[in-house]
Amino acid sequence: MTDFVLHRREILAKALADRGDALVVTGLGSSTWDLASLGDRPENFYLWGAMGNSAMIGLGLAIAQPDRRVVVVTGDGEILMGLTSFTTIGARRPSNLAICVLDNERYTETGRQPTATGLGTDLAAVAKACGFPKTATIRTEAEAAQLGDLLLRTPGPVMAVAKVVDEQLPMAVPPRDGGYLKTRFRVAMLGEKAATLP
């Protein structure tokens, strides 16, 4: 049994309170509900069911938009499915990319089975070994107070793993229409002309 004290939505709300025009990509499930609970925004790109792809989509955005901060918010189960993304991100080293893993050591969406992070896998250590210049595992309120700086201002790529309480929270469901989300996000990045691009 873990003795985690951090609550995912509380620390995320504080970390992203002054996000400015940062682009935020979420993994499926809980991280999407968490971000949506803070208020839906055009700069939010929710990956409803693309498990394992959030970090690579974040990388692509960071490369394509080098003047914008890109933050990926996901869970341990989702990031474990895309673990090889760490090697590509570490090789490319985009300074504007940060990844926040809300790690409750559970596959929340499928029945709360334990993930590898509860059985010895250290995501921050893996990221560091892959070339991320800044990694952190956050367990305390004092450490969580630094999460905003890590995600929004620290040169990246950044890997911040927040060990959070395994809790059931109300779903905050954002729009589900993929075409709508894509177009809205492109317009937020590129301006109104993006709405008419193929």
Side-chain angles (χ1 to χ4, degrees):
M1 185 77 175
T2 57
D3 56 354
F4 301 153
V5 299
L6 300 176
H7 295 274
R8 53 193 307 132
R9 292 187 182 173
E10 291 176 15
I11 64 170
L12 195 62
K14 290 175 185 173
L16 297 181
D18 62 345
R19 69 181 261 192
D21 69 349
L23 305 171
V24 182
V25 177
T26 61
L28 82 167
S30 296
S31 58
T32 288
W33 325 142
D34 294 340
L35 186 63
S37 77
L38 307 182
D40 183 39
R41 292 176 55 157
E43 298 86 3
N44 294 352
F45 193 66
Y46 310 107
L47 297 183
W48 275 92
M51 188 169 181
N53 290 310
S54 64
M56 288 307 284
I57 289 174
L59 173 62
L61 286 168
I63 292 168
Q65 298 290 314
D67 296 327
R68 297 282 289 270
R69 188 68 173 193
V70 177
V71 178
V72 174
V73 178
T74 192
D76 46 308
E78 197 272 348
I79 203 73
L80 285 165
M81 183 170 275
L83 202 58
T84 55
S85 63
F86 289 19
T87 61
T88 306
I89 293 167
R92 289 299 301 257
R93 294 194 183 189
S95 63
N96 58 328
L97 177 63
I99 299 172
C100 177
V101 179
L102 300 171
D103 182 4
N104 64 0
E105 301 183 351
R106 296 282 181 265
Y107 288 106
T108 303
E109 307 310 316
T110 61
R112 294 190 144 69
Q113 304 91 339
T115 68
T117 63
L119 303 170
T121 298
D122 183 334
L123 293 172
V126 173
K128 184 173 184 177
C130 289
F132 282 59
K134 181 62 180 175
T135 64
T137 299
I138 296 167
R139 297 178 183 277
T140 68
E141 294 287 350
E143 292 167 343
Q146 305 304 312
L147 186 57
D149 281 334
L150 285 170
L151 299 181
L152 299 172
R153 289 171 283 280
T154 302
V158 170
M159 172 61 68
V161 180
K163 293 290 192 173
V164 295
V165 173
D166 176 27
E167 57 189 333
Q168 288 189 313
L169 297 167
M171 289 176 66
V173 181
R176 296 186 68 145
D177 184 292
Y180 168 75
L181 289 172
K182 175 200 75 170
T183 300
R184 183 180 79 161
F185 191 71
R186 288 174 72 181
V187 169
M189 281 191 300
L190 305 172
E192 290 297 327
K193 69 178 190 288
T196 61
L197 296 174

